[in-house]
Amino acid sequence: MDDRETADRLQIAEVLARYAYAIDSGDWDLLDEVFTPDAMIDYQTAGGIRGTRAEAKIWLADVLANWPGRLHLIGATRIAFEAGEARVSASFADTLAPSRELVSADSKGLIQGGGWYHHRMLRTADGWRSRELVEEQSWRTIQ
């Protein structure tokens, strides 16, 4: 692995971290630093929408308001560079809680799940950005 590939991998890891932070904090405009303006985002396996970056931001803000306690962990990441793009698959685990306050583990509305985020990323003038995200929901529990 040369220095350029190492730098690319670190920058892509930062994009994944930025995505998790945007979702968990509700900083929806930070998603502009994750996705290209024409990105297609697909949350259908989790019961969500498939839409543009702008549509996804509106949908996320509306739906996730019901779970103010949020934590996404990004784990095993596979990056394959091909023809100026990067195919990125990263495992995730998430918890959505009905409150940011202490709640019992059996509280109604607590959701936990996991799966894979599959990105198609491009190097842009502003750094790596995702042009496509497909969430592959592997499991989900709901209280």
Side-chain angles (χ1 to χ4, degrees), residues 47-63:
I49 67 162
R50 179 179 187 278
T52 65
R53 179 179 80 182
E55 292 167 334
K57 286 169 60 174
I58 292 167
W59 180 80
L60 288 164
D62 183 50
V63 170

Side-chain angles (χ1 to χ4, degrees), residues 120-134:
R120 187 166 51 106
M121 293 195 183
L122 302 173
R123 183 185 290 117
T124 72
D126 296 319
W128 285 94
R129 297 292 185 267
S130 179
R131 179 180 228 169
E132 178 182 54
L133 166 62
V134 176

Side-chain angles (χ1 to χ4, degrees), residues 15-27 30-31 70 72:
V15 172
L16 297 173
R18 197 177 300 133
Y19 173 80
Y21 184 82
I23 299 299
D24 293 343
S25 69
D27 184 354
L30 187 56
L31 294 174
R70 300 186 290 269
H72 284 73

